[in-house]
Amino acid sequence: MPIRPKLALVGTGGTIAATTQSNTGLTDYDITQGVHTLLQAVPGINELADLECHQVFNVDSRAMGSLMLLELSHKLNELLARPDINGAVVTHGTDTLEESAFFLHLTLKTDKPVVMVAAMRPASALSADGPLNLYQAVQVACSSLAQDQGVLVLLNDQIHSARFLSKQHTTLTSAFGSPDAGPLGLVAGGQPRFMMRSLLPHTHSSLFDVRSCTACLKFRSFTITPIRWRNCIATQHKAVCKALWWRQPATAA
Ligand code: ASP
């Protein structure tokens, strides 16, 4: 990893990109900020990495349809295949973060660091958590220890594997956990520190390859037609992803 790596910063929306009328209002927000704007609230972030911004969507993550997930996977596969890109950071809403993260964990064909990041408080809030989360996500993506770990998720100083991530609270900045495993690490003393690695297959060692998929995903005997795919509402994503996982032998996903 170069001293100042080049990372793709991919924006999809979420509370991290949202603003409210007052800085004590935490819920009635609109998604107004692109990734370029988010960077302005994070002093020193451009010293960590050369960040190439890509705004793929700017939506509440409840609107993340399955075709959008596929598009996000395509975009990241394309960016991560570039020799000049050392890793990626993806901003996302928290409501379907675990589903999108798990989908990308199984479908990105890379061993480069990929870190998803979100916030529980809007960008306009007093003590917004987004700027520090974004700074730490970039720090993690710059770490050689994040190499070949699949998709990682950074919130509240903790580094989670997408495989185990779960949103467990509606409002707390500590809303996310990894109930079956615990976080893989944390950012402490200004540095990412890993305590564990996930040994289960992911990214380049996952059997799932959606790079040539357009509207229809077919994994062995399990086919999702475009209509069913489109009709999947956000809360069903996890079930779909888990179904895809469980349809495979234990070593396959
Ligand atoms: N509704 C928001 C979203 O998922 C919640 C958040 O980002 O915290 O986009």
Side-chain angles (χ1 to χ4, degrees), residues 14-117:
T15 299
I16 193 168
T19 49
T20 55
Q21 296 298 331
S22 88
N23 57 11
T24 49
L26 301 181
T27 48
D28 247 344
Y29 49 74
D30 295 308
I31 295 166
T32 54
Q33 301 196 334
V35 274
H36 275 109
T37 316
L38 297 188
L39 291 178
Q40 290 165 18
V42 195
I45 197 164
N46 289 310
E47 286 152 34
L48 296 174
D50 174 9
L51 298 167
E52 184 180 294
C53 295
H54 296 266
Q55 194 74 47
V56 180
F57 314 116
N58 216 10
V59 296
D60 189 296
S61 73
R62 283 172 291 174
M64 282 291 288
S66 300
L67 287 173
M68 293 165 81
L69 267 186
L70 195 56
E71 191 180 331
L72 182 59
S73 179
H74 287 333
K75 182 71 182 177
L76 284 163
N77 271 322
E78 177 196 312
L79 290 167
L80 292 161
R82 274 173 44 189
D84 64 319
I85 296 276
N86 302 108
V89 171
V90 183
T91 63
H92 199 283
T94 62
D95 288 344
T96 61
L97 177 59
E98 65 190 88
E99 290 82 2
S100 298
F102 190 50
F103 182 81
L104 296 174
H105 190 65
L106 297 184
T107 61
L108 295 183
K109 296 297 160 198
T110 188
D111 62 359
K112 296 177 184 175
V114 179
V115 184
M116 297 188 74
V117 61

